[in-house]
Amino acid sequence: MSDLVYLNGEWLAPEQAKVSVFDRGFLFADGIYEVMPIYQGRPFLATQHLARLHRSLAAIAIPDQPDEFWQSLVAELIERNGLQNGLIYFQVTRGAETKRSHLPQGPITPTIFASISPLELHWDIPKPAKAVLCEDIRWLRCDIKSISLLGNIVLKQYAQQHHAIEPMLHRDGVVTEGASSNYFAVKDGVLYTAPTNHLILPGITRMWVLQLAHQLKLTVREEPFHISELAQLDELFLTSSSREVQPIGQIDDIIIGNGRCGPLTQQLIEAFHASKRAHLA
Ligand code: PMP
């Protein structure tokens, strides 16, 4: 729990931060969010996270702020909360007006909220985890980091009931992503991941892992894989800002490879750790 949060120009204790019941975030989930990791007081991949924040706001025509505004908010969140390792959360909604109407009645000021929560910096190779297959029931603009997350929540509940850390989502058998992560598969030494389009959120960790894979001279194909190929995969992992690179050893009853963390996954985890170390140097 952070000590101080930012809301519309004020720094407040979390329980003091309140928005109107007419806020369009509350009434319509009319807003977007962004999550940015902080390692030892320094934002990691900040430029990429801010670029995605700008893209999300532009996609739904909510007025934005310049980079300097977001950068100073990041610096102040870290300083005021004295947190060295954390996850920054930004949320912007279209704002509030005292009439519920699908279309705003006039120009309104966006609601801007920001907080930071603790994050543990880890350097280990995570144990392979289980995921479960689910039909992707979400809308068709998954590229926008919308606060409308009902589909993601229902899918995560299903995964939890089946003792899995994440659902693996597919549309007609073609794997899209997780409910809060992107998937990568390895087959015959080639790394596959779904291409960026309206069906997935362009994960910043996904993009960073692709960059590391290119530096390691791995063969990479931004092509989706099919659920019928799962049993033949050599390795599988997911990526996200909070989990970084997480090996997946099992999908439903299918064991991936031998159920252990595969060599390419391990190589990428080590490269990821090295990039974090370089960021901190
Ligand atoms: N896909 C979805 C649907 C997500 O919610 C997230 C995490 N916000 C990701 C992928 C991973 O994105 P990132 O690597 O930027 O955390």
Side-chain angles (χ1 to χ4, degrees):
M1 186 65 140
S2 53
D3 294 322
L4 282 176
V5 301
Y6 172 92
L7 180 65
N8 296 332
E10 288 188 280
W11 290 93
L12 302 160
E15 62 277 13
Q16 302 297 324
K18 300 201 166 76
V19 292
S20 161
V21 290
F22 285 99
D23 192 278
R24 296 180 60 86
F26 179 66
L27 292 177
F28 299 111
D30 185 359
I32 59 89
Y33 74 109
E34 185 55 52
V35 176
M36 182 191 291
I38 306 298
Y39 300 142
Q40 295 187 5
R42 293 190 203 171
F44 187 59
L45 305 174
T47 311
Q48 292 86 336
H49 281 283
L50 289 186
R52 187 171 65 185
L53 175 68
H54 296 315
R55 274 204 311 275
S56 298
L57 286 168
I60 60 169
I62 288 182
D64 201 348
Q65 298 287 332
D67 258 351
E68 300 73 51
F69 169 86
W70 300 108
Q71 281 157 353
S72 62
L73 204 46
V74 168
E76 217 167 336
L77 273 167
I78 296 169
E79 201 189 308
R80 284 184 185 259
N81 288 284
L83 263 188
Q84 285 303 293
N85 300 308
L87 279 178
I88 283 183
Y89 177 80
F90 288 131
Q91 177 171 314
V92 187
T93 74
R94 203 176 300 277
E97 44 180 18
T98 50
K99 178 176 183 296
R100 183 187 177 278
S101 157
H102 282 65
L103 282 174
Q105 299 301 290
I108 44 179
T109 308
T111 301
I112 302 181
F113 168 66
S115 66
I116 185 168
S117 55
L119 171 77
E120 215 170 299
L121 241 190
H122 61 89
W123 302 100
D124 56 327
I125 306 283
K127 261 184 35 201
K130 182 186 164 189
V132 282
L133 273 178
C134 294
E135 200 187 318
D136 197 341
I137 57 167
R138 303 170 304 159
W139 74 329
L140 292 170
R141 286 306 305 274
C142 296
D143 53 318
I144 301 172
K145 207 162 163 58
S146 160
I147 57 168
S148 172
L149 290 170
L150 194 50
N152 308 55
I153 291 165
V154 168
L155 291 159
K156 271 190 177 284
Q157 283 172 333
Y158 177 86
Q160 187 184 43
Q161 282 156 11
H162 291 80
H163 311 288
I165 63 157
E166 263 285 82
M168 172 184 264
L169 309 182
H170 68 91
R171 292 191 194 264
D172 293 329
V174 177
V175 174
T176 52
E177 60 176 341
S180 61
S181 59
N182 297 106
Y183 280 94
F184 286 76
V186 178
K187 176 70 185 154
D188 298 330
V190 179
L191 189 62
Y192 294 89
T193 195
T196 49
N197 55 29
H198 62 289
L199 299 179
I200 71 162
L201 183 83
I204 304 302
T205 323
R206 171 194 178 280
M207 183 223 60
W208 190 240
V209 165
L210 283 175
Q211 219 159 298
L212 294 173
H214 286 300
Q215 282 166 18
L216 292 168
K217 307 226 178 312
L218 303 181
T219 310
V220 178
R221 297 217 184 112
E222 289 186 58
E223 290 169 17
F225 49 96
H226 196 272
I227 58 171
S228 61
E229 297 170 289
L230 288 175
Q232 282 81 48
L233 292 182
D234 300 319
E235 303 179 34
L236 186 68
F237 62 88
L238 59 76
T239 62
S240 77
S241 294
S242 54
R243 291 191 192 276
E244 299 179 358
V245 177
Q246 168 65 55
I248 299 295
Q250 183 179 350
I251 299 273
D252 293 339
D253 293 330
I254 305 168
I255 303 296
I256 307 295
N258 56 14
R260 303 211 188 94
C261 178
L264 249 67
T265 308
Q266 179 147 352
Q267 215 185 338
L268 285 164
I269 293 172
E270 281 161 4
F272 199 98
H273 289 168
S275 73
K276 274 198 301 190
R277 250 178 247 113
H279 169 76
L280 300 177

